[in-house]
Amino acid sequence: MKNTILVIALAFVFSCNSNAQKKADTKKETFPVTKTEAEWKAQLTEKQYYVLREAGTERPHTSPLNKNYKKGVYHCAACDTPLFKSEHKFDSGTGWPSFDREIEGNVAYGTDTKIGYTRDEEHCATCGGHLGHVFNDGPRETTGKRHCINGVALKFVPAKE
């Protein structure tokens, strides 16, 4: 009797791990700008490669762009796509450059579960470079969003006077 119950229990446990629960599509998303990993490594600094191509995170308070409040546009450091405008930047106190909105169409979104819970990941819609994450704790008087972006993933282009 005990053996029968054990067999039924084991069959139930293993039947719960069906193919429907496995990742259906393992192919990489394609973007308008694509390069080999060797080409990205030749173009980007070690820190840029770590963040943009390996979805890493820079240490907080290390980017000079965190406290940059000059007028201009923040571009993708990998492909130069304009991503965020300076008028949408705010000091979130987190140690990373933060914006309440993106330039529409230039930022794409995905799901990140690497640290044990789900976050909304942001990446460049042109090259797929990892930028950071978006949260719902931004300024309530505007969008309520906080686009928390790795400064090393950005290139600041000052406005022309």
Side-chain angles (χ1 to χ4, degrees):
M1 179 70 174
K2 286 183 182 181
N3 287 341
T4 305
I5 292 173
L6 181 61
V7 169
I8 292 171
L10 286 173
F12 178 76
V13 168
F14 287 109
S15 70
C16 289
N17 189 15
S18 71
N19 285 336
Q21 293 174 331
K22 295 178 182 169
K23 199 170 192 173
D25 188 9
T26 57
K27 69 179 179 178
K28 288 187 176 184
E29 189 175 350
T30 57
F31 296 93
V33 172
T34 57
K35 296 183 181 188
T36 66
E37 293 307 306
E39 289 171 323
W40 284 123
K41 282 182 178 182
Q43 174 188 332
L44 303 171
T45 67
E46 191 174 316
K47 286 182 183 180
Q48 287 173 326
Y49 184 85
Y50 170 68
V51 170
L52 287 160
R53 307 315 309 167
E54 296 179 332
T57 301
E58 69 185 353
R59 287 189 1 246
H61 305 285
T62 59
S63 172
L65 295 179
N66 185 40
K67 298 291 184 181
N68 177 39
Y69 293 104
K70 298 174 186 170
K71 290 184 179 184
V73 177
Y74 294 83
H75 290 228
C76 175
C79 70
D80 206 31
T81 296
L83 302 170
F84 303 97
K85 295 179 181 177
S86 61
E87 60 259 32
H88 300 134
K89 189 172 189 291
F90 67 97
D91 187 354
S92 66
T94 62
W96 289 280
S98 298
F99 305 86
D100 69 355
R101 70 197 78 173
E102 77 283 9
I103 295 176
E104 197 167 325
N106 292 355
V107 175
Y109 299 90
T111 302
D112 174 8
T113 58
K114 286 182 231 146
I115 63 171
Y117 62 92
T118 301
R119 298 182 295 172
D120 293 324
E121 179 184 11
E122 296 184 76
H123 54 270
C124 175
T126 304
C127 71
H130 171 78
L131 302 171
H133 298 86
V134 63
F135 302 96
N136 291 319
D137 60 1
R140 295 287 171 225
E141 60 277 2
T142 60
T143 64
K145 300 289 184 188
R146 174 174 56 96
H147 297 261
C148 188
I149 308 300
N150 291 283
V152 74
L154 300 173
K155 176 178 85 172
F156 180 70
V157 177
K160 294 182 179 167
E161 303 273 333

